[in-house]
Amino acid sequence: MWPCSVLVAVLAAPGGLVQEPVRRYGRAHHTPGRRSTCLDLERAPVLYVRETGDAAGPVLLLIHGGGVAGWMWERQIDHFAPGCRVLVPDLPGHGHSHDVAFTTSAAVVAELAAYLGRFPAGADITVAGFSLGAQLALELAASHPEMVTRVVITSALTQGIPLPGLSHWLVRLTAPLARQTWFAKLQAKSLYIPDDLLDDYIRTSTTLPRESLIALTRANAEFRTPPAWRRFPGAVLLLAGAKEPRALREGMRQLGHDHSKSELIIHEHAGHGLPLQYPEWFNARIEGWMRADRA
């Protein structure tokens, strides 16, 4: 099993709404043959996860992209919380987890898998991710298919980028700009951050540690679809915008070609920010797809 650290204690009323989370510190350990997690509270700080919604409902894990945080899913939380138990982590280096270093995608996937290990075998668990979070969702489904019922991949880069060495050098050179409020405001426009979430974006951008930014940028650029993806048994929904880079759209089409139970939908007006740019459309597509898969 994956040795990993994992998050949070949650207060929940039986059968009711999940209440506000309490951040904890600890390391999760899997027991062979079981999907349970025990916490050693003497270990290092770990990820923050917000749990909200219907404690008795099916689970929906929402994984944000790089440079934002769990707050990017506010429109989705409002939509799905009445009928789902919604889990929203802040990835390492981001938001409430800014003091946890981002190292590799594999390490984050291990932590998320450990957290899902809290739920009983056979639990209905949908994992949805955007951009970097979509890469993590894809890897989580491929490496832990027993934990993931279905997966939503939105705007995942799966074919790498040209000249990755140059890209890493540029990120190192420009990383200090991410901590400047004026630069964060410019970036927010290109990411379709709505005005009511602008303060959250600026706070996340200006507290993202330089080394975590460099590591997550490298992870995003070097990601490749894992071979086990073809064998994931659950349903797959692939979403992207027609105005996203061609390489990304081609990679999304290849994901669909490689998986027999996938559905690809391209929004003709969307750029790289679909959940934020067109939240109502995004929510409706996912809700209808989940309902059809459960039928």
Side-chain angles (χ1 to χ4, degrees):
M1 302 300 291
W2 297 83
C4 55
S5 55
V6 82
L7 30 139
V8 125
V10 180
L11 304 176
L17 295 179
V18 178
Q19 306 300 312
E20 287 299 311
V22 179
R23 193 172 186 205
R24 289 286 178 88
Y25 298 86
R27 182 168 296 273
H29 304 280
H30 282 293
T31 303
R34 300 183 62 186
R35 295 187 58 200
S36 61
T37 298
C38 62
L39 290 178
D40 176 358
L41 297 181
E42 301 302 318
R43 301 297 182 108
V46 292
L47 293 185
Y48 170 94
V49 171
R50 174 185 176 188
E51 288 206 19
T52 190
D54 183 355
V59 175
L60 176 60
L61 171 63
L62 300 172
I63 310 175
H64 67 78
V68 289
W71 50 260
M72 72 157 284
W73 298 112
E74 285 302 318
R75 305 295 191 274
Q76 287 69 47
I77 293 169
D78 290 344
H79 184 87
F80 289 104
C84 293
R85 182 169 187 159
V86 183
L87 316 180
V88 187
D90 282 354
L91 297 178
H94 298 75
H96 295 286
S97 300
H98 71 272
D99 57 344
V100 182
F102 190 105
T103 54
T104 65
S105 292
V108 179
V109 168
E111 297 208 23
L112 296 173
Y115 194 67
L116 292 183
R118 303 166 57 235
F119 297 97
D124 187 309
I125 298 177
T126 302
V127 177
F130 167 69
S131 193
L132 173 67
Q135 295 174 336
L136 297 172
L138 196 162
E139 190 170 343
L140 179 61
S143 60
H144 297 276
E146 76 284 358
M147 293 183 175
V148 180
T149 309
R150 63 189 68 83
V151 64
V152 182
I153 307 296
T154 303
S155 304
L157 181 66
T158 62
Q159 300 181 345
I161 61 173
L163 303 174
L166 176 60
S167 174
H168 298 160
W169 178 79
L170 288 173
V171 170
R172 286 183 176 274
L173 185 66
T174 60
L177 289 175
R179 303 180 71 86
Q180 301 298 317
T181 299
W182 66 268
F183 185 77
K185 288 182 177 179
L186 290 177
Q187 286 290 94
K189 292 182 179 180
S190 67
L191 295 172
Y192 308 100
I193 306 295
D195 290 343
D196 62 315
L197 296 178
L198 180 59
D199 288 345
D200 294 291
Y201 177 72
I202 293 173
R203 182 167 52 252
T204 300
S205 180
T206 56
T207 58
L208 177 59
R210 177 176 180 270
E211 292 306 315
S212 286
L213 174 60
I214 293 169
L216 71 90
T217 303
R218 179 183 297 110
N220 178 256
E222 296 178 351
F223 182 84
R224 298 294 187 277
T225 304
W229 170 245
R230 295 172 179 267
R231 299 190 295 275
F232 174 63
V236 176
L237 179 61
L238 305 169
L239 301 175
K243 296 183 179 180
E244 299 199 76
R246 177 182 296 179
L248 186 148
R249 287 182 279 116
E250 290 177 351
M252 292 291 289
R253 290 191 177 94
Q254 186 62 47
L255 283 180
H257 180 268
D258 291 343
H259 197 284
S260 61
K261 296 180 66 177
S262 67
E263 177 183 358
L264 172 64
I265 306 176
I266 303 291
H267 191 295
E268 64 176 322
H269 302 298
H272 192 66
L274 187 50
L276 291 162
Q277 192 179 7
Y278 295 101
E280 293 82 8
W281 182 93
F282 182 84
N283 296 343
R285 298 290 83 70
I286 294 178
E287 183 177 31
W289 171 79
M290 289 195 302
R291 185 185 301 114
D293 187 54
R294 292 185 180 120

